[in-house]
Amino acid sequence: MNKILEIIQHDAIGDFIICNGLIRELVKKYIQEGYVKFVIRVKDWQKPTVSFMYRDLKEMEIQAHSEICNYTFDATIKINMSTGEQGLRSKNIFPKSVNWDATFYAGYDIDFTKRWSSFKCDRDLNREEELYKKLNPDNLPFIFIHNKYTLVKTEKIRKDLFVIDLTEGHTDNIFDYLTLLEKAEEIHACDSCIVHLVESYPNVGKKLFYHNYPSRSSGMHWTPLKVWYEPG
Protein backbone atom coordinates (compact mmCIF):
# COMPACT_ATOMS: atom_id res chain seq x y z
CA MET A 1 0.00 0.00 0.00
CA ASN A 2 1.34 3.44 -0.94
CA LYS A 3 1.57 5.69 2.10
CA ILE A 4 0.51 9.30 1.54
CA LEU A 5 1.26 12.18 3.90
CA GLU A 6 -0.76 15.38 4.09
CA ILE A 7 1.06 18.57 5.11
CA ILE A 8 -1.04 21.39 6.55
CA GLN A 9 0.86 24.64 6.73
CA HIS A 10 0.44 28.32 7.56
CA ASP A 11 -0.99 29.60 4.32
CA ALA A 12 1.00 32.78 3.68
CA ILE A 13 3.60 32.83 0.91
CA GLY A 14 6.26 34.11 3.31
CA ASP A 15 5.60 31.12 5.58
CA PHE A 16 5.89 28.73 2.65
CA ILE A 17 9.30 30.24 1.83
CA ILE A 18 10.49 30.05 5.45
CA CYS A 19 9.37 26.41 5.71
CA ASN A 20 10.92 25.27 2.43
CA GLY A 21 13.93 23.81 4.26
CA LEU A 22 11.73 22.28 6.96
CA ILE A 23 9.46 20.54 4.48
CA ARG A 24 12.43 19.19 2.56
CA GLU A 25 13.84 17.76 5.79
CA LEU A 26 10.46 16.21 6.66
CA VAL A 27 10.12 14.69 3.19
CA LYS A 28 13.52 13.01 3.60
CA LYS A 29 12.50 11.70 7.02
CA TYR A 30 9.14 10.31 5.95
CA ILE A 31 10.48 8.75 2.75
CA GLN A 32 12.64 6.62 5.03
CA GLU A 33 9.43 5.62 6.85
CA GLY A 34 7.84 4.38 3.64
CA TYR A 35 5.82 7.39 2.46
CA VAL A 36 5.79 7.81 -1.30
CA LYS A 37 3.64 10.93 -1.82
CA PHE A 38 3.30 14.25 -0.01
CA VAL A 39 0.35 16.59 -0.56
CA ILE A 40 0.16 20.28 0.36
CA ARG A 41 -3.16 22.05 -0.05
CA VAL A 42 -2.95 25.77 -0.88
CA LYS A 43 -5.16 28.65 -1.89
CA ASP A 44 -5.79 28.76 -5.62
CA TRP A 45 -3.67 31.86 -6.22
CA GLN A 46 -0.75 30.36 -4.28
CA LYS A 47 -0.47 27.20 -6.35
CA PRO A 48 1.84 28.58 -9.11
CA THR A 49 4.40 29.83 -6.56
CA VAL A 50 4.34 26.79 -4.26
CA SER A 51 4.38 24.35 -7.21
CA PHE A 52 7.38 26.19 -8.66
CA MET A 53 9.20 25.97 -5.32
CA TYR A 54 8.88 22.17 -5.11
CA ARG A 55 9.00 21.30 -8.80
CA ASP A 56 12.17 19.25 -8.24
CA LEU A 57 10.45 16.87 -5.79
CA LYS A 58 8.70 14.12 -7.73
CA GLU A 59 7.03 12.93 -4.51
CA MET A 60 5.36 16.31 -3.88
CA GLU A 61 1.92 17.30 -5.12
CA ILE A 62 0.48 20.77 -4.65
CA GLN A 63 -3.31 20.98 -4.73
CA ALA A 64 -5.52 24.05 -4.73
CA HIS A 65 -8.37 24.08 -2.24
CA SER A 66 -10.83 24.32 -5.14
CA GLU A 67 -9.60 20.99 -6.52
CA ILE A 68 -11.23 17.76 -5.39
CA CYS A 69 -8.88 15.72 -3.22
CA ASN A 70 -9.33 11.99 -3.78
CA TYR A 71 -6.55 10.83 -1.47
CA THR A 72 -6.93 8.92 1.74
CA PHE A 73 -4.08 10.16 3.90
CA ASP A 74 -2.16 7.75 6.10
CA ALA A 75 -1.01 10.62 8.31
CA THR A 76 -1.27 14.39 8.59
CA ILE A 77 1.32 16.77 9.97
CA LYS A 78 0.66 20.39 10.86
CA ILE A 79 3.26 23.08 10.52
CA ASN A 80 2.44 26.25 12.39
CA MET A 81 3.70 28.29 15.31
CA SER A 82 1.96 26.30 18.04
CA THR A 83 1.16 22.83 16.75
CA GLY A 84 3.81 20.17 16.48
CA GLU A 85 3.92 16.81 14.78
CA GLN A 86 0.49 15.23 14.26
CA GLY A 87 -0.94 17.54 16.92
CA LEU A 88 1.14 16.01 19.72
CA ARG A 89 2.74 19.34 20.59
CA SER A 90 -0.28 21.61 20.53
CA LYS A 91 0.56 22.83 24.05
CA ASN A 92 4.12 23.84 23.18
CA ILE A 93 5.10 27.21 24.58
CA PHE A 94 8.29 28.62 23.15
CA PRO A 95 10.48 31.09 25.05
CA LYS A 96 10.24 34.74 24.09
CA SER A 97 13.82 34.56 22.87
CA VAL A 98 12.71 32.31 19.99
CA ASN A 99 11.53 34.27 16.95
CA TRP A 100 8.29 33.13 15.36
CA ASP A 101 9.97 31.78 12.22
CA ALA A 102 12.19 29.50 14.32
CA THR A 103 9.16 27.94 16.04
CA PHE A 104 8.19 26.20 12.80
CA TYR A 105 11.42 24.21 12.99
CA ALA A 106 11.43 23.86 16.78
CA GLY A 107 8.11 22.03 16.61
CA TYR A 108 9.89 19.20 14.81
CA ASP A 109 13.27 19.37 16.58
CA ILE A 110 14.92 20.39 13.31
CA ASP A 111 17.86 22.77 13.57
CA PHE A 112 16.78 26.22 12.42
CA THR A 113 19.93 26.57 10.31
CA LYS A 114 18.15 24.20 7.90
CA ARG A 115 15.98 27.21 7.06
CA TRP A 116 18.91 28.28 4.82
CA SER A 117 21.07 25.21 4.28
CA SER A 118 18.14 23.03 3.11
CA PHE A 119 16.31 25.78 1.23
CA LYS A 120 16.09 25.05 -2.47
CA CYS A 121 14.28 26.69 -5.33
CA ASP A 122 16.15 26.86 -8.61
CA ARG A 123 15.67 30.15 -10.40
CA ASP A 124 14.13 30.53 -13.85
CA LEU A 125 16.20 33.38 -15.28
CA ASN A 126 14.12 33.62 -18.46
CA ARG A 127 10.94 34.27 -16.49
CA GLU A 128 12.76 36.73 -14.24
CA GLU A 129 14.23 38.65 -17.16
CA GLU A 130 10.85 38.86 -18.87
CA LEU A 131 9.32 40.47 -15.77
CA TYR A 132 12.33 42.76 -15.35
CA LYS A 133 11.97 44.11 -18.89
CA LYS A 134 8.24 44.54 -18.40
CA LEU A 135 8.59 46.63 -15.24
CA ASN A 136 11.84 48.43 -16.10
CA PRO A 137 11.99 48.57 -19.91
CA ASP A 138 14.55 51.41 -19.92
CA ASN A 139 16.84 49.60 -17.45
CA LEU A 140 16.90 52.56 -15.06
CA PRO A 141 18.43 52.50 -11.58
CA PHE A 142 15.50 51.87 -9.27
CA ILE A 143 14.13 51.24 -5.80
CA PHE A 144 11.91 48.22 -5.16
CA ILE A 145 8.99 48.61 -2.74
CA HIS A 146 6.59 46.04 -1.36
CA ASN A 147 4.04 48.26 0.34
CA LYS A 148 1.89 45.55 1.89
CA TYR A 149 -0.93 47.02 3.99
CA THR A 150 0.59 50.47 3.13
CA LEU A 151 3.15 49.93 5.90
CA VAL A 152 6.12 51.20 3.92
CA LYS A 153 6.80 54.82 4.94
CA THR A 154 7.08 56.26 1.46
CA GLU A 155 7.91 59.73 2.79
CA LYS A 156 11.20 58.29 4.08
CA ILE A 157 12.26 56.88 0.71
CA ARG A 158 14.67 58.78 -1.52
CA LYS A 159 13.06 60.54 -4.47
CA ASP A 160 15.91 60.54 -6.98
CA LEU A 161 15.36 57.02 -8.34
CA PHE A 162 12.68 55.26 -10.34
CA VAL A 163 10.35 53.26 -8.06
CA ILE A 164 8.96 49.79 -8.79
CA ASP A 165 6.16 48.80 -6.44
CA LEU A 166 5.11 45.16 -6.22
CA THR A 167 1.47 45.04 -7.26
CA GLU A 168 -0.83 42.22 -8.25
CA GLY A 169 -1.24 41.19 -11.85
CA HIS A 170 2.35 41.22 -13.11
CA THR A 171 3.00 37.52 -12.43
CA ASP A 172 1.47 34.62 -10.53
CA ASN A 173 4.88 33.46 -9.21
CA ILE A 174 6.71 35.51 -6.57
CA PHE A 175 10.06 33.99 -7.58
CA ASP A 176 9.87 35.87 -10.88
CA TYR A 177 10.83 39.03 -8.94
CA LEU A 178 14.32 37.77 -8.05
CA THR A 179 16.20 39.59 -10.83
CA LEU A 180 14.42 42.83 -9.90
CA LEU A 181 15.33 42.30 -6.25
CA GLU A 182 18.90 41.50 -7.24
CA LYS A 183 19.35 44.68 -9.29
CA ALA A 184 17.43 47.14 -7.09
CA GLU A 185 19.56 49.87 -5.51
CA GLU A 186 17.35 49.65 -2.42
CA ILE A 187 14.55 47.35 -1.25
CA HIS A 188 11.86 48.62 1.11
CA ALA A 189 9.48 46.09 2.64
CA CYS A 190 7.63 45.12 5.79
CA ASP A 191 7.37 41.62 7.26
CA SER A 192 6.18 39.98 4.06
CA CYS A 193 7.06 37.35 1.50
CA ILE A 194 9.58 39.73 -0.06
CA VAL A 195 11.85 39.96 3.01
CA HIS A 196 11.85 36.17 3.35
CA LEU A 197 12.49 35.74 -0.37
CA VAL A 198 15.46 38.13 -0.17
CA GLU A 199 16.78 36.27 2.89
CA SER A 200 16.71 32.97 1.00
CA TYR A 201 19.20 33.96 -1.73
CA PRO A 202 22.67 35.12 -0.62
CA ASN A 203 23.33 37.48 -3.54
CA VAL A 204 19.95 39.20 -3.63
CA GLY A 205 19.61 42.64 -2.08
CA LYS A 206 22.10 45.55 -2.21
CA LYS A 207 20.69 47.80 0.51
CA LEU A 208 17.70 46.68 2.56
CA PHE A 209 15.18 48.69 4.57
CA TYR A 210 12.69 47.10 6.94
CA HIS A 211 9.45 48.94 7.76
CA ASN A 212 7.98 47.59 10.98
CA TYR A 213 4.31 47.21 11.85
CA PRO A 214 3.17 50.20 13.97
CA SER A 215 1.60 47.83 16.50
CA ARG A 216 4.87 45.97 17.10
CA SER A 217 7.73 46.91 19.32
CA SER A 218 10.90 48.05 17.61
CA GLY A 219 13.12 45.46 16.04
CA MET A 220 12.35 42.31 14.08
CA HIS A 221 10.41 39.31 15.29
CA TRP A 222 11.82 37.01 12.63
CA THR A 223 15.42 35.96 12.04
CA PRO A 224 17.47 37.86 9.45
CA LEU A 225 20.91 36.90 8.20
CA LYS A 226 21.30 40.11 6.23
CA VAL A 227 21.53 43.71 7.42
CA TRP A 228 18.21 45.56 7.30
CA TYR A 229 18.22 49.27 8.05
CA GLU A 230 15.48 51.35 9.61
CA PRO A 231 14.04 53.81 7.05
CA GLY A 232 14.85 57.48 7.36
Short mmCIF file of all heavy atoms in Angstrom, two decimals, residues 32-53:
data_model
loop_
_atom_site.label_atom_id
_atom_site.label_comp_id
_atom_site.label_asym_id
_atom_site.label_seq_id
_atom_site.Cartn_x
_atom_site.Cartn_y
_atom_site.Cartn_z
N GLN A 32 11.98 7.74 4.34
CA GLN A 32 12.64 6.62 5.03
C GLN A 32 11.63 5.77 5.81
O GLN A 32 11.89 4.60 6.09
CB GLN A 32 13.72 7.15 5.97
CG GLN A 32 14.89 7.79 5.26
CD GLN A 32 15.90 8.39 6.22
OE1 GLN A 32 15.65 8.51 7.41
NE2 GLN A 32 17.06 8.76 5.70
N GLU A 33 10.47 6.36 6.13
CA GLU A 33 9.43 5.62 6.85
C GLU A 33 8.40 5.02 5.91
O GLU A 33 7.36 4.53 6.34
CB GLU A 33 8.75 6.54 7.86
CG GLU A 33 9.70 7.02 8.97
CD GLU A 33 9.01 7.91 9.99
OE1 GLU A 33 7.76 7.95 9.99
OE2 GLU A 33 9.72 8.54 10.79
N GLY A 34 8.68 5.07 4.61
CA GLY A 34 7.84 4.38 3.64
C GLY A 34 6.80 5.22 2.94
O GLY A 34 6.00 4.69 2.16
N TYR A 35 6.79 6.53 3.16
CA TYR A 35 5.82 7.39 2.46
C TYR A 35 6.32 7.67 1.05
O TYR A 35 7.53 7.89 0.83
CB TYR A 35 5.61 8.69 3.22
CG TYR A 35 4.80 8.50 4.49
CD1 TYR A 35 5.41 8.12 5.68
CD2 TYR A 35 3.42 8.65 4.48
CE1 TYR A 35 4.68 7.91 6.83
CE2 TYR A 35 2.67 8.46 5.63
CZ TYR A 35 3.30 8.08 6.80
OH TYR A 35 2.56 7.86 7.93
N VAL A 36 5.40 7.66 0.10
CA VAL A 36 5.79 7.81 -1.30
C VAL A 36 5.20 9.07 -1.94
O VAL A 36 5.59 9.45 -3.05
CB VAL A 36 5.36 6.58 -2.14
CG1 VAL A 36 6.05 5.33 -1.62
CG2 VAL A 36 3.84 6.40 -2.13
N LYS A 37 4.25 9.70 -1.28
CA LYS A 37 3.64 10.93 -1.82
C LYS A 37 3.36 11.89 -0.68
O LYS A 37 2.96 11.50 0.42
CB LYS A 37 2.35 10.63 -2.59
CG LYS A 37 1.73 11.87 -3.23
CD LYS A 37 0.47 11.54 -4.00
CE LYS A 37 0.76 10.85 -5.29
NZ LYS A 37 1.44 11.75 -6.27
N PHE A 38 3.55 13.19 -0.97
CA PHE A 38 3.30 14.25 -0.01
C PHE A 38 2.40 15.28 -0.68
O PHE A 38 2.66 15.71 -1.81
CB PHE A 38 4.61 14.89 0.43
CG PHE A 38 5.57 13.89 1.03
CD1 PHE A 38 6.39 13.13 0.21
CD2 PHE A 38 5.63 13.69 2.40
CE1 PHE A 38 7.27 12.19 0.74
CE2 PHE A 38 6.49 12.75 2.94
CZ PHE A 38 7.31 12.00 2.11
N VAL A 39 1.34 15.68 0.02
CA VAL A 39 0.35 16.59 -0.56
C VAL A 39 0.23 17.83 0.31
O VAL A 39 0.02 17.74 1.53
CB VAL A 39 -1.03 15.91 -0.69
CG1 VAL A 39 -2.05 16.89 -1.26
CG2 VAL A 39 -0.93 14.67 -1.58
N ILE A 40 0.39 19.00 -0.31
CA ILE A 40 0.16 20.28 0.36
C ILE A 40 -1.03 20.95 -0.32
O ILE A 40 -1.06 21.09 -1.54
CB ILE A 40 1.38 21.20 0.28
CG1 ILE A 40 2.61 20.55 0.92
CG2 ILE A 40 1.09 22.54 0.95
CD1 ILE A 40 3.86 21.40 0.82
N ARG A 41 -2.00 21.34 0.48
CA ARG A 41 -3.16 22.05 -0.05
C ARG A 41 -2.94 23.55 0.14
O ARG A 41 -2.55 24.01 1.21
CB ARG A 41 -4.42 21.61 0.70
CG ARG A 41 -4.68 20.11 0.66
CD ARG A 41 -5.47 19.68 -0.56
NE ARG A 41 -6.88 20.04 -0.43
CZ ARG A 41 -7.77 19.90 -1.43
NH1 ARG A 41 -7.38 19.44 -2.60
NH2 ARG A 41 -9.03 20.21 -1.25
N VAL A 42 -3.21 24.33 -0.91
CA VAL A 42 -2.95 25.77 -0.88
C VAL A 42 -4.14 26.52 -1.47
O VAL A 42 -5.01 25.94 -2.12
CB VAL A 42 -1.68 26.12 -1.68
CG1 VAL A 42 -0.45 25.43 -1.10
CG2 VAL A 42 -1.85 25.76 -3.16
N LYS A 43 -4.16 27.82 -1.23
CA LYS A 43 -5.16 28.65 -1.89
C LYS A 43 -4.89 28.66 -3.40
O LYS A 43 -3.74 28.51 -3.84
CB LYS A 43 -5.08 30.08 -1.34
CG LYS A 43 -5.45 30.19 0.13
CD LYS A 43 -5.23 31.60 0.65
CE LYS A 43 -5.56 31.68 2.13
NZ LYS A 43 -5.28 33.02 2.70
N ASP A 44 -5.93 28.85 -4.17
CA ASP A 44 -5.79 28.76 -5.62
C ASP A 44 -4.68 29.67 -6.16
O ASP A 44 -3.86 29.25 -6.99
CB ASP A 44 -7.12 29.10 -6.30
CG ASP A 44 -8.17 28.03 -6.07
OD1 ASP A 44 -8.41 27.66 -4.91
OD2 ASP A 44 -8.76 27.57 -7.06
N TRP A 45 -4.63 30.91 -5.69
CA TRP A 45 -3.67 31.86 -6.22
C TRP A 45 -2.24 31.55 -5.79
O TRP A 45 -1.28 32.03 -6.39
CB TRP A 45 -4.03 33.29 -5.82
CG TRP A 45 -3.98 33.57 -4.35
CD1 TRP A 45 -5.00 33.43 -3.45
CD2 TRP A 45 -2.84 34.03 -3.60
NE1 TRP A 45 -4.58 33.78 -2.19
CE2 TRP A 45 -3.27 34.15 -2.25
CE3 TRP A 45 -1.53 34.36 -3.93
CZ2 TRP A 45 -2.40 34.59 -1.23
CZ3 TRP A 45 -0.68 34.79 -2.92
CH2 TRP A 45 -1.11 34.91 -1.60
N GLN A 46 -2.08 30.72 -4.76
CA GLN A 46 -0.75 30.36 -4.28
C GLN A 46 -0.13 29.19 -5.04
O GLN A 46 1.09 28.98 -4.99
CB GLN A 46 -0.80 30.00 -2.79
CG GLN A 46 -1.19 31.14 -1.88
CD GLN A 46 -1.46 30.67 -0.46
OE1 GLN A 46 -1.88 29.54 -0.25
NE2 GLN A 46 -1.22 31.54 0.50
N LYS A 47 -0.95 28.45 -5.74
CA LYS A 47 -0.47 27.20 -6.35
C LYS A 47 0.70 27.41 -7.31
O LYS A 47 1.68 26.63 -7.28
CB LYS A 47 -1.62 26.47 -7.05
CG LYS A 47 -1.18 25.11 -7.60
CD LYS A 47 -2.34 24.30 -8.16
CE LYS A 47 -1.84 22.97 -8.72
NZ LYS A 47 -2.96 22.14 -9.24
N PRO A 48 0.70 28.43 -8.21
CA PRO A 48 1.84 28.58 -9.11
C PRO A 48 3.17 28.78 -8.37
O PRO A 48 4.19 28.18 -8.75
CB PRO A 48 1.47 29.81 -9.94
CG PRO A 48 -0.01 29.83 -9.93
CD PRO A 48 -0.40 29.36 -8.55
N THR A 49 3.16 29.58 -7.31
CA THR A 49 4.40 29.83 -6.56
C THR A 49 4.86 28.59 -5.81
O THR A 49 6.04 28.21 -5.86
CB THR A 49 4.20 31.00 -5.58
OG1 THR A 49 4.10 32.23 -6.32
CG2 THR A 49 5.37 31.11 -4.61
N VAL A 50 3.95 27.94 -5.08
CA VAL A 50 4.34 26.79 -4.26
C VAL A 50 4.72 25.61 -5.16
O VAL A 50 5.67 24.87 -4.87
CB VAL A 50 3.22 26.41 -3.28
CG1 VAL A 50 3.66 25.23 -2.40
CG2 VAL A 50 2.88 27.60 -2.39
N SER A 51 4.02 25.42 -6.26
CA SER A 51 4.38 24.35 -7.21
C SER A 51 5.77 24.58 -7.79
O SER A 51 6.56 23.64 -7.95
CB SER A 51 3.34 24.27 -8.34
OG SER A 51 2.07 23.93 -7.84
N PHE A 52 6.07 25.84 -8.12
CA PHE A 52 7.38 26.19 -8.66
C PHE A 52 8.48 25.87 -7.63
O PHE A 52 9.54 25.35 -7.98
CB PHE A 52 7.41 27.68 -9.01
CG PHE A 52 8.69 28.18 -9.58
CD1 PHE A 52 8.96 28.05 -10.93
CD2 PHE A 52 9.63 28.79 -8.77
CE1 PHE A 52 10.16 28.51 -11.47
CE2 PHE A 52 10.83 29.26 -9.29
CZ PHE A 52 11.10 29.13 -10.65
N MET A 53 8.20 26.14 -6.38
CA MET A 53 9.20 25.97 -5.32
C MET A 53 9.57 24.51 -5.09
O MET A 53 10.70 24.20 -4.71
CB MET A 53 8.65 26.59 -4.02
CG MET A 53 9.65 26.68 -2.91
SD MET A 53 9.13 27.83 -1.60
CE MET A 53 7.53 27.19 -1.16
#
